[in-house]
Amino acid sequence: MGEPVKPLNIGIVGAGKISGAYLSTLEKLTSVRLTAITDLDRARAQSVADQAGSQVSVADSVADLVARDDVDAVLNLTIPAAHAEVALAVLAAGKHVYGEKPLATNRKEADAVLTAARDAGLRVGCAPDTVLGTGTQTARKAVDDGLIGRPVAATAFMTTAGHEKWHPDPEFYYQPGGGPLLDMGPYYLSALVHLLGPVVKVTGASSRPRAERVIGSGPRAGQSFPVEIDTHITGVLEHADGALSTLVMSFDIQAARLPRIEVHGTEASLSVPDPNNFDGPVEIHRGDRWDVLPVSAGHADTGRGAGLADLAEALDAGRPHRASAELAAHVLDVMLTLMDAAEQSRALPVTSTCERPAPVIGLWPSALTGEVGDAAAWGPRR
């Protein structure tokens, strides 16, 4: 094991609901240190700062935050429509940025972020980082080790009755830039790229069964709001190596017994845990029964923010980080192409690509302990 990474000073933009999940991980990390936060609602930013500790300052604006000497990188937790705008402001200030998914809401914005980072020699990371946990990484090791033979197909299902059931301010999920695919698709598609590689072609269909939704929790419970985008999307994805994935993303299914992700090969099938989580059992069926595989790869006992820690460690080691903007841009392009294919009722090529991120070889507790291994131990890019 190598020496601990010098902490990367982090400023947060956005103090909404998701910030709590990050704070619970960030406070345990030694590779990053939270120094500042800002939000359009200063009181909300102050509340998060108070939770994080007295060493965290509240900045008046994004411009003020990125200008601080004690901010090396920014964690962008704004709503999807603001992801690219904030990322570009951070990069213009000469700071690295790691954001919530999606990278942007359209290809033009995503390309602008990639270009700005490349021109400035800065890093851009993007959620989800759940794919770095033991669930997806143990499944990936099984695929890479040939336990299922040649991958033939996969299924990926995300079915729910809608986020308005639990989210107190759900409108943005039902506006352009939201919807089940852009909201939850990054988890499933990032996992599929880790498991099977990039996507080259898609076919899709979509629908919008309801024109209005009703908020189910919080102080605005009972209020209705309009639905501006399709809320049930299904598609077939063709991966570069020939495997076919069937995808269903829906805010219109009351209950289901569908698996989250399964990968089927010429010799066996894998049941992969929920890609919205970091861990969970990986099962293999070799022809007679389902057996649980031993946990064999990935970051154990971690949470949201592991990708930010990986970026900090990658900067220190001079290696690529896994939750990269290139992967996020490809996933975004796949989703947007699928939506185009659904609208046009035909198959469409995916013009972007990305490298399959490097696997997390072996069990790595580094996201919580700060210990890092030799960069070579992370294995070759595949």
Side-chain angles (χ1 to χ4, degrees):
M1 305 296 287
E3 293 297 321
V5 173
K6 179 182 177 181
L8 192 69
N9 291 326
I10 303 298
I12 293 179
V13 177
K17 190 176 181 68
I18 192 64
S19 65
Y22 278 89
L23 283 180
S24 64
T25 302
L26 293 180
E27 65 184 8
K28 303 171 186 175
L29 298 172
T30 60
S31 56
V32 300
R33 177 174 56 214
L34 181 59
T35 59
I37 185 167
T38 190
D39 189 273
L40 292 173
D41 183 339
R42 185 180 176 85
R44 188 163 63 175
Q46 187 64 60
S47 176
V48 172
D50 291 342
Q51 293 177 51
S54 59
Q55 76 282 4
V56 179
S57 301
V58 175
D60 291 332
S61 65
V62 174
D64 289 341
L65 184 136
V66 299
R68 294 174 63 100
D69 292 335
D70 62 351
V71 171
D72 304 316
V74 169
L75 176 58
N76 180 7
L77 303 182
T78 56
I79 63 172
H83 284 178
E85 178 184 357
V86 171
L88 289 170
V90 173
L91 294 168
K95 309 296 175 75
H96 308 290
V97 61
Y98 180 95
E100 253 303 315
K101 47 76 191 170
L103 178 65
T105 58
N106 60 63
R107 296 178 184 89
K108 183 178 179 180
E109 290 180 344
D111 289 343
V113 171
L114 290 174
T115 299
R118 187 162 50 246
D119 291 347
L122 296 167
R123 300 286 187 112
V124 177
C126 187
D129 51 8
T130 49
V131 291
L132 306 182
T134 56
T136 298
Q137 290 297 320
T138 293
R140 173 171 179 168
K141 188 174 188 302
V143 172
D144 289 349
D145 288 350
L147 298 189
I148 67 169
R150 179 175 59 84
V152 174
T155 56
F157 300 108
M158 193 295 298
T159 59
T160 177
H163 290 355
E164 74 276 12
K165 303 292 183 182
W166 56 269
H167 200 293
D169 299 297
E171 286 92 336
F172 71 93
Y173 287 114
Y174 298 90
Q175 296 168 353
L181 184 59
L182 287 178
D183 175 44
M184 296 301 294
Y187 297 104
Y188 289 77
L189 288 169
S190 295
L192 289 173
V193 171
H194 270 265
L195 293 166
L196 300 173
V199 177
V200 296
K201 186 166 64 174
V202 299
T203 303
S206 63
S207 64
R208 190 184 315 179
R210 286 177 279 172
E212 289 189 340
R213 299 271 178 150
V214 178
I215 299 173
S217 65
R220 301 167 58 220
Q223 292 183 20
S224 62
F225 61 92
V227 176
E228 300 177 28
I229 43 86
D230 287 353
T231 51
H232 183 98
I233 300 171
T234 185
V236 176
L237 320 176
E238 182 179 332
H239 294 267
D241 288 343
L244 300 176
S245 292
T246 300
L247 183 76
V248 175
M249 301 278 115
S250 183
F251 285 168
D252 293 293
I253 294 180
Q254 298 300 316
R257 294 179 176 175
L258 297 166
R260 299 296 187 179
I261 295 180
E262 289 183 348
V263 182
H264 308 284
T266 54
E267 305 298 329
S269 292
L270 277 180
S271 176
V272 183
D274 187 347
N276 194 21
N277 298 328
F278 285 84
D279 55 15
V282 178
E283 296 179 276
I284 189 167
H285 196 289
R286 295 182 173 94
D288 52 355
R289 68 179 188 274
W290 288 101
D291 295 313
V292 177
L293 288 174
V295 175
S296 59
H299 288 282
D301 301 321
T302 189
R304 298 185 195 276
L308 184 58
D310 181 70
L311 187 151
E313 294 170 8
L315 279 168
D316 187 76
R319 63 166 174 84
H321 57 286
R322 290 176 172 80
S324 69
E326 290 75 17
L327 171 61
H330 177 62
V331 166
L332 175 65
D333 190 28
V334 171
M335 294 188 296
L336 295 177
T337 305
L338 178 55
M339 293 165 66
D340 290 341
E343 183 178 352
Q344 299 174 29
S345 299
R346 65 189 183 99
L348 291 175
V350 177
T351 57
S352 68
T353 190
C354 68
E355 290 190 54
R356 198 174 168 214
V360 182
I361 297 175
L363 292 175
W364 283 71
S366 59
L368 294 186
T369 67
E371 296 177 328
V372 267
D374 189 322
W378 295 79
R381 293 179 67 84
R382 300 185 181 179

